[in-house]
Amino acid sequence: MTLQPEDFWSFSEWLLRPGAFLESALLQGVALLILAVLLGLVIGYIVSAVRYGPGEAFYAVAGVLRDLFTRDLPGTAPRRVYALARLAFKEAIRRRILFVIGLFAVGLLLAGWYLDPTSDDPARLYISFVLTATNYLILMLALFISCFSLPADIKSRTIYTIVTKPVRATEIVLGRIFGFTAVGTLLLVPMGLLSYLFVTRGLDHTHTVASIEELGDGRFVGETSYDRFHRHEFTIDAEGNGLAESERGHRHVVTKVGDEFIVGDPEGALRARVPQYGGLQFLNRQGLPDTQGIDVGYEHIRGGYGSGGLSRFIGRTIGPRRIEHGYIEGGTLCAAIFTFDEITPDKYPDGLPLEMKLRVFRTYKGDIVTGVRGTVTVRNPQNQAIESEPFPFVAQEYQVDETELPIEFDGTAGGESRTLNLFEDLVDENGHVEIVVRCSDPGQYLGLTQGDVYLRPRESTFGWNMTKAYFSIWLQMVMVIAFGVMFSTTLSGPVAMIATFVLVLLGFSAESVYDTRYYIDRGQTMGGGPIESLIRTFRQDAMTVELDIQSTPLKIIQGIDSVAVYTLDAVVTSLPNLPKMLGTAEYVASGFDVFGALLLRHTVTTLGYFILACFIGYFFLKTREIAA
Amino acid sequence: METDPVAVAERPAPTSPDATASQVVIETRNLSKIYRDFWGRKKVQALNSLDIEIRQGEIFGLLGPNGSGKSTTIKLILGLLFPTSGRVLVFDKDASETSKNERVGYLPEESYLYKFLTAEETLDFYGRLFNMSAADRQRRVDELIKMVGLERARYRQLREFSKGMTRRVGLAQALINDPDLILLDEPTTGLDPIGTREMKDLILSLRDAGKTILLCSHQLADVQDVCDRVAILHQGELKELGRVEDLLKVQDVTEVHARGLSEQAKAEIADVIRRHGGQLQSMDNPTTTMEDLFLNIVRESEERPGHRRAAALPPDASGNPPASGNPPANPAALPPSAESPADRSSKSSGDAPS
């Protein structure tokens, strides 16, 4: 999991983007709302102009708007909404939708056979499997239950008995959405519980002691039995307490009770680290400040356009925003300096729990067994002459390096070596402290991003983290239900389903559309728009070669393509960013606490689209001849 | 229930004798509806310039063959369809206004109800749609279930219901809000004769309670029995509009009903008529309708279950008038029935075999 710059935004930063208001979510939401209103008015006017003539149409549109604000919104009664929601709920339940839970349980049982038990990180495998499976299953269910109910009612004319009661169109739309949300929740909760059990029980195992050897001083070294395709080595101290080596992302406590050795349950497999991130500043080989580390030419990942918001859409910011790893070279003045704030004794009573996920780039093979070495130095941000002795470490690739920096350690203060106290000497009066990461092996590189070195003041529980991931799934479900109901107010069931599905699909492929547009904007040959890429497919031309077509047809093709791509860009810009919401699963799988700000962003986004879908659905239903 | 045949024909407009003075409940002005296809091409003119006024407290019938525009009119009144031109006002509000529905009850042609709900749940659900409190709903649901006679089927899902039972639930849901205006689309279709009779009685009692009723039907007998005024539609055009008795009464024919007259007395009456320049068309025991006959048979069999031996009845055993009777539709159209059905209809005299 590599955190992107936008992941560090707090909720208000995301909403308002101080300093870059064009990127703000609020602006995007407001623009979308205004656009929807304008589009609605124009389409409404055109449709009623065809029906009643241009003069009447004006009154018709005005009348619908007046009805919304003077009658239907104030007249919306919770009791009716509740009644309609209950009806939708009962309908789904009596159609035995709850069988899906049984199906899900069977699916989990079958999955147990196929999830690779020899995987390096079984926890990640299990968690991402259950979360992704639940996510897609729930979205599919939401699609089915939300799209077919209202068209079925209209077709069977049961809707006649509803709309001839004092029921507002708002109530019908809201009732459906709430009812189906209740059904979805009823499905999601047991699924979440089953998943939790599946993950915790599925990873649970224990070992016995296979071999043990006593060292002279009362300590023991030994090896556990080979279970679940792995074994641990362990040492036990003179008091009889020991810890097994980490293997497959977990370790066991081994204790000596009398003459017996007891291997405990796996620990550390299911975590929810609550990280504290700092600001990152690189120093280049000459030791001068640099915004980026060394580019080792290893990764140029496009994407991340979406965080640009409207500023990207109108072309004010161009280009991918996906973060790349910056590298620091060993044996030079290269360094990565992290500045952490709010460092207080209350928060870190036992020292600084520092964690690093570093990448390694080797220019020569070196000693492959010990790995690439580096150092961590604690430094006072205001007086850089006060710094600790370097703490050496060996970079563990593809794993989280956990060290605990003590409160008192040796260091230098203005050339004088003495014992330094973390809070007295190194943390400045603003509560800031600097942690400097360097690479010690000359010619080797360590790669990191802002999210890769962090302090971990506390740990949340895995169960709570799963709950948050499920809440994110729940939000996506609400969104799909709202869109499904919105379309079902005017389209027949299957068509509404396809429309919703296309919407979801477009939301998922937004970044690809942005990418295509990016290359069109830059005039770079990279496959082109839909027609051009179709031609390339038939001619078997690579993406980057110039298209060998006469210039006039080429211009026409590229012209049409640009229109198509720009239109698509506009459409997907106004759609919810579902991949981002799906991404919460990655946090849980990687053992990180899902950020509250992220969840709040998703919640607000969902609420926004929910309101939009309600209004659109209302107008569809209101202007529809039910009996036609 | 009207028992006096004369009273049916000449009953006064119940709540307000002067119909013109009472309040207009539904008003259609130049109401037209054209059904179009997807491309906006005209498919059919379902209704053409309909102007009617329905006043408070009357039973108004919309009559016509299938496809004449009856259902279209009702749907326009309910706001289920939008008029192509013209307007519908219900309680002085435009038909598209939802708030008018507070005072309206609608029984659709078929009972379009949720099959997965029980009778009680159905009524409770519709009660909620009127924003009724739990106590009000409870009371009203109890009343209505009793009224339509579904006490025993109260907790059964509608999917198990017979057509007649579904119809009753449909009627109950139309009355859940104690509406002032009730629209009934083909109220008697799918009902057996008893059900039909009960439906008609109910319509009359609703009218007596001051409700306005608009019903549409192609069953002439229904309309004739209960309606105060009818409009006859054909191919979307209004063909006839007026009070039922005015439409049905044959002005120059007098009908005499009497019981227990001797042949001599009959001859004297015939003589009187002749003396006043009248022409005796028929003087006979009045016929009854097929419906009455069926009803009597059913009623009798309920009193005395078992095989009914109609042939054993003495022909003149008639002691009771038909319990519920209506005059023949049009005296002029009466067949001079030689084999009087009245004999058979009067078997309820108590002479039935036990």
Side-chain angles (χ1 to χ4, degrees), chain A residues 51-52 71 77 79-80 82-84 86-87 90-91 94 153 156-158 160-167 176 622-628, chain B residues 33 75 78 80-83 96-99 101-102 106 108 112-114 116-117 121 124-126 128-134 137 157 173:
Chain A
R51 249 191 231 166
Y52 308 110
R71 301 212 178 100
R79 189 178 271 139
R80 282 194 286 263
Y82 173 68
L84 289 162
R86 228 171 67 135
L87 184 81
K90 269 188 194 161
E91 183 193 358
R94 296 202 177 154
D153 265 18
S156 72
R157 302 182 183 178
T158 33
Y160 286 12
T161 51
I162 307 281
V163 293
T164 53
K165 306 281 183 281
V167 175
R176 293 281 150 159
K622 180 86 181 172
T623 53
R624 177 180 179 153
E625 274 188 307
I626 297 289
Chain B
K33 178 69 192 174
K75 284 170 184 167
L78 285 165
L80 290 171
L81 290 174
F82 304 148
S96 64
E97 256 180 60
T98 325
S99 54
N101 292 343
E102 297 276 2
Y106 168 54
Y112 306 123
L113 301 167
Y114 291 98
F116 56 85
L117 295 178
E121 283 172 335
D124 188 66
F125 166 67
Y126 289 110
R128 281 176 202 267
L129 295 187
F130 282 100
N131 212 0
M132 290 161 73
S133 70
R137 288 201 306 271
Q157 284 190 17
Q173 68 79 24

Side-chain angles (χ1 to χ4, degrees), chain A residues 310-378:
Chain A
L310 282 187
S311 136
R312 181 204 60 80
F313 181 65
I314 60 172
R316 289 290 282 277
T317 55
I318 288 180
R321 292 183 159 210
R322 204 169 169 87
I323 209 163
E324 290 165 19
H325 281 72
Y327 284 79
I328 45 177
E329 191 183 349
T332 66
L333 291 176
C334 269
I337 303 167
F338 288 87
T339 311
F340 296 95
D341 49 14
E342 291 174 40
I343 306 297
T344 59
D346 293 344
K347 208 164 159 189
Y348 298 103
D350 306 321
L352 293 179
L354 181 73
E355 300 196 354
M356 296 183 286
K357 290 181 299 176
L358 301 179
R359 288 198 184 176
V360 172
F361 180 77
R362 295 166 206 264
T363 52
Y364 58 95
K365 191 173 160 193
D367 183 356
I368 203 82
V369 178
T370 49
V372 174
R373 289 166 302 156
T375 59
V376 168
T377 312
V378 187

Side-chain angles (χ1 to χ4, degrees), chain B residues 270-288:
Chain B
D271 202 39
V272 170
I273 292 169
R274 219 172 289 119
R275 219 185 311 141
H276 288 277
Q279 179 199 357
L280 182 66
Q281 286 184 320
S282 72
M283 178 147 59
D284 224 335
N285 302 61
T287 56
T288 181

Side-chain angles (χ1 to χ4, degrees), chain A residues 325-559:
Chain A
H325 281 72
Y327 284 79
I328 45 177
E329 191 183 349
T332 66
L333 291 176
C334 269
I337 303 167
F338 288 87
T339 311
F340 296 95
D341 49 14
E342 291 174 40
I343 306 297
T344 59
D346 293 344
K347 208 164 159 189
Y348 298 103
D350 306 321
L352 293 179
L354 181 73
E355 300 196 354
M356 296 183 286
K357 290 181 299 176
L358 301 179
R359 288 198 184 176
V360 172
F361 180 77
R362 295 166 206 264
T363 52
Y364 58 95
K365 191 173 160 193
D367 183 356
I368 203 82
V369 178
T370 49
V372 174
R373 289 166 302 156
T375 59
V376 168
T377 312
V378 187
R379 198 163 77 179
N380 188 318
Q382 292 196 334
N383 184 356
Q384 299 194 341
I386 307 176
E387 62 175 3
S388 72
E389 293 292 319
F391 295 92
F393 67 88
V394 177
Q396 299 184 353
E397 294 170 73
Y398 315 112
Q399 278 190 41
V400 178
D401 243 329
E402 297 185 21
T403 43
E404 175 115 2
L405 303 178
I407 290 181
E408 296 204 326
F409 36 73
D410 293 333
T412 52
E416 164 207 358
S417 290
R418 63 176 170 97
T419 302
L420 299 176
N421 183 292
L422 175 68
F423 298 109
E424 287 168 12
D425 299 313
L426 292 158
V427 177
D428 67 12
E429 64 262 33
N430 303 322
H432 296 236
V433 73
E434 278 183 2
I435 286 181
V436 185
V437 182
R438 293 192 181 88
C439 179
S440 335
D441 285 342
Q444 307 285 48
Y445 294 78
L446 289 177
L448 40 80
T449 65
Q450 192 190 355
D452 289 339
V453 175
Y454 54 88
L455 302 174
R456 183 178 48 76
R458 58 192 187 88
E459 189 109 2
S460 180
T461 61
F462 173 70
W464 175 235
N465 214 20
M466 275 284 261
T467 312
K468 289 203 267 192
Y470 269 84
F471 179 64
S472 177
I473 297 178
W474 185 83
L475 290 175
Q476 297 171 52
M477 177 194 83
V478 172
M479 225 183 247
V480 171
I481 287 175
F483 281 126
V485 170
M486 176 189 94
F487 280 123
S488 74
T489 52
T490 187
L491 301 172
S492 72
V495 183
M497 198 185 79
I498 290 171
T500 314
F501 184 70
V502 166
L503 219 69
V504 171
L505 210 62
L506 279 178
F508 269 109
S509 45
E511 287 289 324
S512 324
V513 176
Y514 300 155
D515 201 36
T516 312
R517 175 188 157 170
Y518 169 62
Y519 286 112
I520 288 180
D521 277 351
R522 283 192 15 159
Q524 190 178 338
T525 309
M526 192 58 91
I531 301 176
E532 189 182 329
S533 47
L534 195 70
I535 293 171
R536 282 173 187 277
T537 308
F538 282 114
R539 293 172 56 107
Q540 304 196 344
D541 278 352
M543 288 210 300
T544 47
V545 296
E546 285 292 327
L547 204 56
D548 186 17
I549 292 183
Q550 279 184 336
S551 77
T552 318
L554 186 65
K555 266 192 186 136
I556 295 172
I557 287 168
Q558 288 182 337

